[in-house]
Amino acid sequence: MFTYALDERIVLRPLSHEHAQPLFELTELSRDRLRQWLPWVDSTTEMSHTAEYIRGVMNQYASNGAVTAGIWVDDELAGVIGLHAIDWNHRSVSIGYWLGRGYEGQGLMTSACRAFIDYALLDLDLHRVEIRCATGNRRSRGIPERLGFVLEGVIREAEKLPQGYVNHAVYGMLQHEWKRIR
Amino acid sequence: MFTYALDERIVLRPLSHEHAQPLFELTELSRDRLRQWLPWVDSTTEMSHTAEYIRGVMNQYASNGAVTAGIWVDDELAGVIGLHAIDWNHRSVSIGYWLGRGYEGQGLMTSACRAFIDYALLDLDLHRVEIRCATGNRRSRGIPERLGFVLEGVIREAEKLPQGYVNHAVYGMLQHEWKRIR
Amino acid sequence: MFTYALDERIVLRPLSHEHAQPLFELTELSRDRLRQWLPWVDSTTEMSHTAEYIRGVMNQYASNGAVTAGIWVDDELAGVIGLHAIDWNHRSVSIGYWLGRGYEGQGLMTSACRAFIDYALLDLDLHRVEIRCATGNRRSRGIPERLGFVLEGVIREAEKLPQGYVNHAVYGMLQHEWKRIR
Amino acid sequence: MFTYALDERIVLRPLSHEHAQPLFELTELSRDRLRQWLPWVDSTTEMSHTAEYIRGVMNQYASNGAVTAGIWVDDELAGVIGLHAIDWNHRSVSIGYWLGRGYEGQGLMTSACRAFIDYALLDLDLHRVEIRCATGNRRSRGIPERLGFVLEGVIREAEKLPQGYVNHAVYGMLQHEWKRIR
Amino acid sequence: MFTYALDERIVLRPLSHEHAQPLFELTELSRDRLRQWLPWVDSTTEMSHTAEYIRGVMNQYASNGAVTAGIWVDDELAGVIGLHAIDWNHRSVSIGYWLGRGYEGQGLMTSACRAFIDYALLDLDLHRVEIRCATGNRRSRGIPERLGFVLEGVIREAEKLPQGYVNHAVYGMLQHEWKRIR
Amino acid sequence: MFTYALDERIVLRPLSHEHAQPLFELTELSRDRLRQWLPWVDSTTEMSHTAEYIRGVMNQYASNGAVTAGIWVDDELAGVIGLHAIDWNHRSVSIGYWLGRGYEGQGLMTSACRAFIDYALLDLDLHRVEIRCATGNRRSRGIPERLGFVLEGVIREAEKLPQGYVNHAVYGMLQHEWKRIR
């Protein structure tokens, strides 16, 4: 029912129970590409896993306020973007995202990310947003780089993926920076 | 972040933690009118009660899918509309709503209700929507009547309000009816 | 251990863990008749389902005070009658009941119902008791009619049964009425 | 609603939410006598404590099957008797009880206890019932002794009461013994 | 990481998640001997049962303070000793223990028990420690007898084992006694 | 009961309920120094807060395996060291620590940290240990630097302290590195 329109064709919708089927189908379709960078892909083998994941992010929204949304293009689900658990004490949050096969390279995620950063730093008045990408995931790293994030460090062997441990590039954006450059 | 626009000035937003203050202020301002028909008004005496209520409806959304929204007019909170717990076995739900002082008589709630009925009967594919109003609450009863609901009965002394027990007029709308008349 | 005697042969006993077996057997025996009007019959296919149901009503009694009892005739389980969750704010409750094959037409349920209404309106001092029956279930509707309930409305397509959606006749009895007519 | 009649004047009723007031009043009235042998008396200083206790025993009944009852004489609450948590693996249970001021010495508790032992060893088919009394509590010890329990040991300094640690006399009754002597 | 050394070869370690494998292996190896006196042996048929048990004792430690430890000899797991739930009101606790095949008759358990009694009566300042053994389990009874416990009673048919019901010898040790004799 | 000895005078003990008093006293004594770098100090104003914290770390140990210990010098509590929640999927963990007034500058924490790194990387077989310090906290940063950690980045304004937001220096140690240099 509720949406956030990025433009006439692209809208964000908070993930909800009725999205389990399109989300699982998108995962199936994009499995080969996604499994390289997303540790949960190989263990998401039936729709009940996706439904369980949606229940999890809805509960997190209810208890912590951290929202996760589907990205819809011409009413087809194209990907997911969301806040991880908000640290209300230190007023910081990190953002995660992925796109299904065929939706890359069109600037979709950069727009979606901009909306989420606005929400986090302006509406929720958080102090800091972080994006972490595997160092080898050039496409993913392009997003914080285009949006003006600062590369703050490389956390070594931070994540275990099917191909082995990968390093994490950590990008940060502070509220006062975002207010200036957006 | 997420909205449902009724027109250029009026939007619905899912109730969220950051709405506790405007919602409590609206309750304070409208207390005299609201307490006549809403049993929770007299026990909502500080903002933590409103925050607790919001936590409740967010948890209900996460577990049951029943959403509650604020109605915003020119970025001021004007009222609340929401689904009570959805009965997924029998695919039915009831809708509750109220408007703060100064927002009545403008057709706001009829529009908001129409959006929620669309959501319940078309998006969620439920079979039946119910609205129950105290028989003496003429303003509230006008809404299902204008929207074409059928008055199905009068449940006697169903609700205890400060002035005593009141009867409930029960209005029903079925999916196939709504598809025809909307 | 605890009973409520309706007469020398008929007693009510609160449903308890040790009744899972006779209750499941009665369900098995009466399955064909019951499934027409009771939505849970088709999904109660093994004794653990009945045990789970009993656990549920015992927990409801502990937390809410709403009791469910077996009806025993000559020490054989004949049926079930119970309060649904009590609404303590508005002091109202609804009653549900069913009889197994071979126990209909003897006035058993009318007596049992009378005892439960006494309990709800006199002992618990509730204000209103409601009974809802599918409009086509003539036998079930006979009970509130014989006991002097008022037919307050017909809620359309309120319940989904194997044969399709059915309407609900809603019957109500208020405390002051019951005190006069019982 | 449900009762177990010991004779025309004396009935047992499972403790329920609506008994909080008479139970707290009986505690108040009998405080001086009871505190000598019951460790919870000194910390039961308002009715909400009694209500909390009742909630506890009702939850225990729902989850474990161990019931606690009030003893009513001419419709006045006279005392309490109950099963502690049943050990379903080893099929044993212990019984606890107390009487309010003015109700001692009439054989009330011996009758009530007999009913509970019947329930535990015959209806629930448990193997063993235990009663533990402070060695100095002669009145309490009289009950298992009159009922034919075997004194199996004296557990030293097992319970902390206001006057200091006291020894526990442990009495046992086995199912086959009870079937023979009752 | 944390240990309590009984001597150069023997250490106690609090049971932790990483001990599931050696503990299940010890159970497998000793199954024939253990099942005679320990009711859980026959239902512990895969490592997940042992992991579940460990989770249980760790949760009990976190909520109640009652610790359970493995007994390690030359870095091999030899047995288990632990406190059952501590009764903080009456400041008493009971101790349970068992040794795997090949570790009996070396005084291991007497030393381990001495350490646990020190911990319970001196560090935790409890008032009473209890040990209960099946009367026929001579080896197990030797431990409280060697340590100076008092035999306080024989609880008849208290435990159901594969061979039938067995009696429990109850041994007690009070804080002031232990301070004198240790 | 259980300890890990660093040398004859210094031992680690898992934090447990009975440590609430010495831990709160150490906090009181060291409050002025600690509040500069530890966000929880200002809200720890009575012993129940410390008891609640201990309950939290014990529950975390039970559910996640991440242990927290007190550092004891000549049987006086000197400080705390612990694992934050272990990420078992990616096999990484971070370590946090602090010392009370008068215990700095003696190498205590470097030894304690070495023991915890051994435990995490060798006993638990984790892949990566992380230490994060406010960049201005020279004393704290000395520890990972002395132990051979790699400085991997500076996360800007990551933590809110009484004096404002501070940057985090992130230090990492991998299992294969530690096996080589320890």
Side-chain angles (χ1 to χ4, degrees):
Chain A
M1 177 176 203
F2 297 97
T3 59
Y4 182 98
L6 295 177
D7 64 23
E8 273 152 44
R9 297 178 47 211
I10 309 168
V11 297
L12 306 180
R13 291 197 176 93
L15 271 190
S16 182
H17 301 300
E18 64 269 29
H19 302 145
Q21 190 175 338
L23 182 51
F24 181 65
E25 286 170 1
L26 186 68
T27 304
E28 283 285 68
L29 213 73
S30 316
R31 191 174 288 285
D32 290 344
R33 274 190 56 255
L34 296 180
R35 65 185 298 279
Q36 189 179 4
W37 301 118
L38 297 173
W40 50 265
V41 172
D42 283 354
S43 54
T44 303
T45 57
E46 43 179 81
M47 202 167 85
S48 69
H49 301 148
T50 302
E52 179 64 30
Y53 161 74
I54 290 176
R55 218 173 352 258
V57 300
M58 290 178 76
N59 279 327
Q60 185 187 250
Y61 174 60
S63 62
N64 175 271
V67 72
T68 299
I71 305 171
W72 297 75
V73 180
D74 297 335
D75 262 326
E76 297 286 327
L77 185 62
V80 171
I81 180 168
L83 301 183
H84 298 135
I86 299 170
D87 182 338
W88 287 104
N89 288 323
H90 302 298
R91 306 198 72 78
S92 75
V93 74
S94 73
I95 296 180
Y97 47 74
W98 60 271
L99 282 175
R101 202 175 62 172
Y103 291 102
E104 318 89 335
Q106 311 169 23
L108 272 180
M109 195 54 87
T110 307
S111 303
C113 229
R114 194 175 278 123
F116 262 74
I117 300 165
D118 275 356
Y119 177 65
L121 296 180
L122 307 184
D123 295 359
L124 297 183
D125 193 30
L126 298 180
H127 186 73
R128 173 187 164 85
V129 166
E130 188 171 296
I131 293 177
R132 296 176 68 137
C133 313
T135 47
N137 190 350
R138 292 305 321 167
R139 209 183 271 282
S140 184
R141 295 182 64 175
I143 288 166
E145 289 172 357
R146 266 193 297 283
L147 290 168
F149 278 62
V150 174
L151 176 61
E152 296 172 335
V154 172
I155 308 302
R156 299 172 312 143
E157 308 199 9
E159 188 175 21
K160 197 178 179 185
L161 291 172
Q163 68 271 32
Y165 283 98
V166 296
N167 298 335
H168 267 183
V170 179
Y171 295 91
M173 172 66 71
L174 305 177
Q175 192 192 55
H176 58 82
E177 295 171 339
W178 185 248
K179 285 182 171 167
R180 210 178 53 237
I181 69 173
R182 69 186 287 269
Chain B
M1 177 175 200
F2 297 97
T3 59
Y4 183 95
L6 296 177
D7 64 23
E8 274 152 44
R9 296 178 47 209
I10 308 169
V11 298
L12 306 179
R13 290 196 176 92
L15 271 190
S16 181
H17 301 300
E18 64 268 29
H19 301 146
Q21 191 174 337
L23 182 52
F24 181 66
E25 285 170 1
L26 186 68
T27 305
E28 284 284 69
L29 213 73
S30 316
R31 190 174 290 284
D32 290 345
R33 273 190 56 255
L34 297 180
R35 66 186 296 278
Q36 190 180 2
W37 301 118
L38 298 172
W40 50 265
V41 172
D42 284 353
S43 55
T44 303
T45 58
E46 42 179 83
M47 202 166 87
S48 68
H49 301 149
T50 302
E52 180 62 30
Y53 161 74
I54 290 176
R55 219 175 349 259
V57 300
M58 290 178 76
N59 279 327
Q60 184 188 250
Y61 173 60
S63 62
N64 175 271
V67 73
T68 300
I71 305 170
W72 298 75
V73 180
D74 297 335
D75 262 328
E76 297 285 325
L77 185 62
V80 171
I81 180 169
L83 301 182
H84 298 136
I86 299 169
D87 181 337
W88 287 103
N89 288 323
H90 303 296
R91 307 199 73 77
S92 75
V93 74
S94 71
I95 296 182
Y97 46 75
W98 59 271
L99 282 175
R101 201 174 63 172
Y103 290 103
E104 316 89 335
Q106 310 169 26
L108 272 180
M109 195 53 87
T110 307
S111 304
C113 228
R114 194 175 278 122
F116 262 74
I117 300 164
D118 275 356
Y119 178 64
L121 295 180
L122 307 184
D123 296 359
L124 297 183
D125 193 29
L126 298 180
H127 186 74
R128 173 187 162 86
V129 165
E130 186 171 297
I131 293 178
R132 296 176 68 136
C133 313
T135 46
N137 190 351
R138 291 304 322 166
R139 207 183 274 284
S140 184
R141 296 180 63 174
I143 289 167
E145 289 172 357
R146 266 193 296 284
L147 290 167
F149 278 62
V150 174
L151 177 61
E152 297 173 333
V154 172
I155 309 302
R156 299 172 311 141
E157 309 200 11
E159 187 175 22
K160 196 178 180 186
L161 291 172
Q163 68 271 32
Y165 283 97
V166 296
N167 298 336
H168 267 183
V170 179
Y171 295 91
M173 172 67 71
L174 304 178
Q175 193 192 53
H176 57 84
E177 296 171 338
W178 185 247
K179 284 182 172 167
R180 208 178 55 236
I181 69 175
R182 68 185 288 268
Chain C
M1 177 176 203
F2 297 97
T3 59
Y4 182 96
L6 296 177
D7 64 23
E8 272 151 46
R9 297 178 47 210
I10 308 169
V11 296
L12 306 180
R13 291 197 176 93
L15 270 190
S16 182
H17 301 299
E18 64 269 30
H19 302 145
Q21 192 175 335
L23 182 52
F24 181 67
E25 285 169 2
L26 185 68
T27 303
E28 284 285 69
L29 213 72
S30 316
R31 190 175 290 286
D32 290 345
R33 273 190 55 255
L34 297 180
R35 67 186 295 279
Q36 189 179 4
W37 301 118
L38 298 173
W40 51 265
V41 172
D42 283 353
S43 54
T44 302
T45 57
E46 42 180 82
M47 201 167 87
S48 68
H49 300 149
T50 301
E52 180 63 31
Y53 161 74
I54 290 177
R55 220 177 346 262
V57 302
M58 290 178 76
N59 280 327
Q60 185 186 251
Y61 173 59
S63 62
N64 175 270
V67 74
T68 299
I71 304 171
W72 297 75
V73 179
D74 297 335
D75 261 326
E76 296 287 326
L77 185 62
V80 170
I81 179 168
L83 301 182
H84 298 136
I86 300 169
D87 182 338
W88 287 104
N89 288 322
H90 303 297
R91 307 199 72 76
S92 74
V93 74
S94 72
I95 296 182
Y97 47 75
W98 59 271
L99 281 174
R101 204 174 58 173
Y103 290 102
E104 316 90 336
Q106 312 169 22
L108 272 181
M109 195 54 86
T110 307
S111 303
C113 228
R114 194 175 278 123
F116 262 74
I117 300 164
D118 275 356
Y119 177 64
L121 295 180
L122 306 184
D123 295 0
L124 297 183
D125 192 30
L126 298 180
H127 185 74
R128 174 187 163 85
V129 165
E130 187 170 297
I131 293 178
R132 296 176 69 137
C133 314
T135 46
N137 191 350
R138 291 305 321 166
R139 208 183 272 283
S140 184
R141 294 181 65 175
I143 288 166
E145 290 172 357
R146 268 194 296 284
L147 289 168
F149 278 62
V150 174
L151 175 62
E152 296 173 334
V154 172
I155 308 302
R156 300 173 308 145
E157 309 199 10
E159 188 175 22
K160 198 179 179 183
L161 291 173
Q163 68 272 34
Y165 283 96
V166 296
N167 298 336
H168 267 183
V170 179
Y171 294 90
M173 172 65 71
L174 305 177
Q175 193 192 53
H176 57 83
E177 296 171 339
W178 185 248
K179 285 181 172 167
R180 210 179 50 239
I181 69 174
R182 68 187 288 271
Chain D
M1 177 174 203
F2 298 96
T3 59
Y4 183 96
L6 297 177
D7 63 24
E8 273 153 44
R9 295 179 48 209
I10 308 170
V11 297
L12 306 180
R13 291 196 176 93
L15 270 189
S16 181
H17 301 300
E18 65 268 29
H19 301 145
Q21 192 175 335
L23 182 52
F24 181 66
E25 285 169 3
L26 185 68
T27 305
E28 284 285 69
L29 213 74
S30 317
R31 191 173 289 285
D32 290 345
R33 273 189 57 255
L34 297 180
R35 66 186 297 278
Q36 190 179 2
W37 301 118
L38 298 172
W40 51 264
V41 172
D42 283 354
S43 55
T44 301
T45 58
E46 41 179 83
M47 202 167 85
S48 68
H49 300 148
T50 301
E52 179 63 31
Y53 161 74
I54 290 176
R55 218 174 351 258
V57 300
M58 291 178 75
N59 279 326
Q60 185 187 250
Y61 173 60
S63 62
N64 175 270
V67 74
T68 299
I71 305 170
W72 298 75
V73 180
D74 297 335
D75 261 329
E76 297 285 325
L77 185 62
V80 170
I81 180 168
L83 301 183
H84 297 135
I86 299 169
D87 181 339
W88 288 104
N89 288 322
H90 302 297
R91 305 198 73 77
S92 74
V93 74
S94 72
I95 296 182
Y97 47 74
W98 59 271
L99 281 175
R101 204 175 59 173
Y103 291 102
E104 317 89 336
Q106 312 168 22
L108 272 180
M109 195 53 86
T110 306
S111 303
C113 228
R114 193 174 279 122
F116 263 74
I117 300 164
D118 274 355
Y119 178 65
L121 295 181
L122 307 184
D123 296 358
L124 297 182
D125 192 29
L126 299 180
H127 186 73
R128 174 188 161 85
V129 166
E130 186 171 298
I131 293 178
R132 296 176 67 137
C133 313
T135 46
N137 190 351
R138 292 302 323 164
R139 208 183 273 282
S140 183
R141 297 181 64 175
I143 289 166
E145 290 172 357
R146 265 192 298 283
L147 290 167
F149 278 62
V150 174
L151 176 62
E152 298 173 333
V154 172
I155 308 302
R156 299 172 310 143
E157 309 200 9
E159 188 176 22
K160 197 179 179 186
L161 290 173
Q163 68 271 32
Y165 283 97
V166 296
N167 298 336
H168 267 182
V170 179
Y171 294 90
M173 171 68 70
L174 305 177
Q175 194 192 54
H176 57 83
E177 295 171 339
W178 185 248
K179 284 180 172 167
R180 209 179 52 238
I181 69 174
R182 68 185 289 268
Chain E
M1 177 176 201
F2 297 96
T3 59
Y4 182 94
L6 295 178
D7 64 23
E8 272 151 45
R9 297 179 47 210
I10 308 169
V11 297
L12 307 179
R13 292 196 176 93
L15 271 190
S16 181
H17 301 299
E18 64 268 31
H19 302 144
Q21 192 176 335
L23 182 52
F24 180 67
E25 286 169 1
L26 185 67
T27 304
E28 283 285 69
L29 213 73
S30 317
R31 191 173 289 284
D32 290 345
R33 274 191 55 256
L34 296 181
R35 66 185 296 279
Q36 190 180 3
W37 302 118
L38 299 173
W40 51 264
V41 172
D42 282 354
S43 54
T44 302
T45 58
E46 42 180 81
M47 201 167 87
S48 68
H49 300 149
T50 302
E52 180 62 32
Y53 161 74
I54 291 177
R55 220 176 346 261
V57 300
M58 290 178 76
N59 280 327
Q60 184 187 251
Y61 174 59
S63 62
N64 175 270
V67 74
T68 299
I71 305 171
W72 298 75
V73 179
D74 297 335
D75 262 328
E76 297 286 326
L77 185 61
V80 170
I81 180 168
L83 302 182
H84 298 136
I86 299 169
D87 181 339
W88 287 103
N89 289 322
H90 302 298
R91 306 198 73 76
S92 75
V93 75
S94 73
I95 296 181
Y97 46 75
W98 60 271
L99 282 175
R101 201 174 61 171
Y103 290 102
E104 317 89 336
Q106 312 169 23
L108 272 179
M109 197 52 88
T110 307
S111 303
C113 229
R114 194 175 277 123
F116 262 74
I117 301 164
D118 275 355
Y119 177 64
L121 296 180
L122 308 183
D123 295 359
L124 297 183
D125 193 28
L126 298 180
H127 186 73
R128 173 185 163 86
V129 165
E130 187 170 296
I131 294 177
R132 296 176 69 136
C133 313
T135 47
N137 191 350
R138 291 305 321 165
R139 208 183 272 284
S140 184
R141 296 181 65 174
I143 289 167
E145 289 172 356
R146 267 193 296 284
L147 290 168
F149 278 63
V150 173
L151 176 61
E152 297 173 333
V154 172
I155 309 301
R156 299 172 311 145
E157 309 201 10
E159 189 175 21
K160 197 180 180 185
L161 291 173
Q163 68 272 33
Y165 284 97
V166 296
N167 298 336
H168 267 183
V170 179
Y171 295 90
M173 172 66 71
L174 305 177
Q175 192 192 54
H176 57 84
E177 295 171 340
W178 185 249
K179 284 181 172 167
R180 208 177 54 238
I181 70 173
R182 68 184 287 270
Chain F
M1 178 175 201
F2 298 96
T3 60
Y4 182 95
L6 296 177
D7 65 22
E8 274 153 43
R9 297 179 47 210
I10 309 170
V11 297
L12 305 180
R13 291 196 176 93
L15 270 189
S16 181
H17 301 300
E18 64 268 31
H19 302 145
Q21 191 174 336
L23 182 52
F24 181 66
E25 286 170 1
L26 186 68
T27 304
E28 283 286 70
L29 212 75
S30 317
R31 191 174 287 285
D32 290 346
R33 272 189 58 254
L34 296 181
R35 68 185 295 279
Q36 190 179 4
W37 302 118
L38 298 173
W40 50 265
V41 172
D42 283 354
S43 54
T44 303
T45 57
E46 42 180 81
M47 202 167 86
S48 68
H49 301 148
T50 301
E52 179 64 30
Y53 161 75
I54 290 175
R55 218 174 350 259
V57 301
M58 290 178 75
N59 279 328
Q60 184 186 251
Y61 174 60
S63 62
N64 175 271
V67 73
T68 299
I71 305 170
W72 298 75
V73 179
D74 297 335
D75 262 327
E76 297 285 325
L77 185 63
V80 170
I81 181 168
L83 301 183
H84 298 136
I86 300 170
D87 181 339
W88 287 103
N89 288 323
H90 302 298
R91 305 199 72 78
S92 75
V93 75
S94 73
I95 296 180
Y97 46 75
W98 60 271
L99 282 175
R101 203 174 60 172
Y103 291 103
E104 317 89 335
Q106 310 168 25
L108 272 180
M109 195 53 86
T110 307
S111 304
C113 227
R114 193 174 279 122
F116 262 75
I117 300 164
D118 274 356
Y119 177 65
L121 295 180
L122 307 184
D123 295 358
L124 297 183
D125 193 29
L126 299 179
H127 186 74
R128 174 187 162 85
V129 165
E130 188 171 296
I131 294 178
R132 296 177 69 137
C133 313
T135 47
N137 190 351
R138 291 305 321 167
R139 207 182 274 282
S140 182
R141 297 181 63 175
I143 288 166
E145 289 172 357
R146 265 193 298 283
L147 290 168
F149 278 63
V150 173
L151 176 62
E152 297 174 334
V154 172
I155 308 302
R156 299 172 311 143
E157 309 199 8
E159 187 175 22
K160 197 178 179 185
L161 292 173
Q163 68 271 33
Y165 283 97
V166 296
N167 299 335
H168 268 182
V170 179
Y171 295 90
M173 172 68 71
L174 304 177
Q175 192 192 55
H176 57 83
E177 295 170 340
W178 185 248
K179 284 181 172 167
R180 209 177 54 236
I181 69 175
R182 67 184 289 268

